[in-house]
Amino acid sequence: MEPQHGDRPHLPGPSLYPIGFAAGVACILVGLIVNPTLIAPIGAVIAIIFGFLWARDATKDYRQEPAAIEPERREPAAPTAPPIPAHQGEAAMPEPEPGERFPRSKFLEASTLGLGAVIGGLVTVPVVGFMVVPAFKGQGYPDVDLGPLENFPEGKWLVTTFYQHPETGNVSRRTAYIRNNGSLNGKPSFTIISNRCAHLGCPVQPNGPVQPDQTKFFKGELGKRVRYVPAIPAGGFGCPCHGGQYDSEGNRTAGPPVRALDRYEFSIINGHLVLGKPFSVSHVDGTGKNAEIHAYKLAGPGQHVDGWQQVFYPIQPPH
Ligand code: FES
């Protein structure tokens, strides 16, 4: 039996646009983890383009010009088949009234779909926002006041413990090995080495005596204390996990680490040493204030930052 006019399906045909839209959303989610500044925006662009095409495709039935609808209204005067009585099947949708530009059935379909989309958006967007946004708030490396310069005697190493995010408490406690190198061209010079091993991230230790009886403190932000413990790392630094060894400039000398120890940027503000962002180092030539530091963007433990090996670590997870 020929489908009656009122039974004509209004659903759009099969389309690849939803798949493209889903790929865009997947790209956004992956990008949020591996590269929020490049891959996530690319995913957003893909999702927007395919979402627009999908919506356009799904609603094209409703966007017909009146001229395109008119012929359908001009039914033949003498139907070739007798009409089906209402009791023999589903009730057919009523024919558009003469002069009716937009059939009620389509209006109801479009408004139901539109309302569903609005409700879906109202429910989904806040939930996704509350799930994703907190992971990006309060991240990064804010400046940390490590105390006045006189707390750092020239030429001495201090095992310095501080709070990267004082408001979060002990989970943000970090340790750096700091040496005041004196002045260079009239400016203070410091060596600030991270204690994170360049193999798998274990905390490295000074290869030499530590003097806890000479510990000093400085009251930092939110009353959190910065602690200084003098040390004499004559043998450099060593990692207890797998035996990685570094010299006193942080250069790898033995074991599985793939590069030198990371370092921190620093600045002097109002006579205080202020810690900045960490960065990675392939190796250091020279020592102290005359050292030439081969610096790179911060990489994860185990990641090469130079040489041909770095091509095997193309994706840098966010820190
Ligand atoms: S984590 Fe330091 S040597 Fe393995």
Side-chain angles (χ1 to χ4, degrees):
M1 182 191 301
E2 288 294 316
Q4 296 302 298
H5 183 73
D7 294 338
R8 189 160 42 85
H10 299 303
L11 293 175
S15 162
L16 287 177
Y17 296 141
I19 296 174
F21 179 74
V25 172
C27 196
I28 293 173
L29 295 176
V30 172
L32 288 175
I33 296 168
V34 299
N35 193 332
T37 56
L38 179 65
I39 297 179
I42 290 175
V45 170
I46 293 173
I48 289 170
I49 290 174
F50 278 94
F52 172 74
L53 293 173
W54 184 15
R56 194 162 154 265
D57 192 44
T59 58
K60 70 180 171 205
D61 229 20
Y62 310 125
R63 290 181 285 104
Q64 279 183 335
E65 295 299 321
I69 299 173
E70 278 309 317
E72 293 178 7
R73 294 180 180 156
R74 290 197 287 274
E75 295 293 327
T80 52
I84 300 174
H87 66 272
Q88 287 185 14
E90 255 183 57
M93 293 299 282
E95 289 297 315
E97 297 293 331
E100 194 180 8
R101 182 176 174 275
F102 205 75
R104 264 175 296 171
S105 60
K106 291 192 175 183
F107 169 75
L108 288 173
E109 266 187 60
S111 51
T112 307
L113 282 177
L115 202 59
V118 170
I119 293 172
L122 287 176
V123 170
T124 310
V125 170
V127 170
V128 171
F130 282 122
M131 273 181 0
V132 173
V133 172
F136 292 88
K137 275 180 67 183
Q139 301 292 315
Y141 299 94
D143 288 350
V144 180
D145 184 354
L146 293 182
L149 292 183
E150 48 270 27
N151 287 0
F152 300 89
E154 189 171 331
K156 289 216 162 122
W157 283 101
L158 295 177
V159 182
T160 308
T161 308
F162 57 93
Y163 291 82
Q164 189 98 57
H165 298 275
E167 68 282 2
T168 61
N170 282 342
V171 292
S172 74
R173 249 173 75 163
R174 302 284 182 273
T175 298
Y177 300 113
I178 301 182
R179 182 184 58 201
N180 181 349
N181 298 321
S183 71
L184 177 67
N185 301 327
K187 293 183 183 165
S189 164
F190 283 85
T191 297
I192 306 182
I193 295 179
S194 163
N195 77 334
R196 187 182 70 156
C197 183
H199 177 218
L200 295 179
C202 283
V204 300
Q205 314 289 326
N207 287 338
V210 178
Q211 300 161 314
D213 54 314
Q214 297 178 31
T215 299
K216 286 188 179 165
F217 297 96
F218 164 71
K219 203 168 180 181
E221 203 180 327
L222 299 180
K224 297 287 183 186
R225 293 196 301 184
V226 178
R227 188 180 66 183
Y228 320 102
V229 183
I232 308 173
F237 304 94
C239 181
C241 289
H242 313 102
Q245 295 296 317
Y246 305 88
D247 67 17
S248 56
E249 290 299 322
N251 282 314
R252 173 196 170 274
T253 55
V258 298
R259 58 174 198 263
L261 289 169
D262 296 338
R263 293 193 176 208
Y264 284 93
E265 297 172 356
F266 70 91
S267 54
I268 309 297
I269 300 176
N270 297 330
H272 284 222
L273 177 62
V274 176
L275 199 74
K277 288 182 191 155
F279 58 92
S280 286
V281 176
S282 62
H283 63 286
V284 178
D285 293 320
T287 59
K289 58 186 166 190
N290 298 314
E292 186 186 348
I293 301 161
H294 298 266
Y296 294 85
K297 189 177 165 214
L298 186 65
Q303 294 183 319
H304 292 268
V305 290
D306 62 352
W308 59 269
Q309 298 101 324
Q310 66 177 305
V311 300
F312 293 111
Y313 299 93
I315 295 177
Q316 299 273 328
H319 304 285

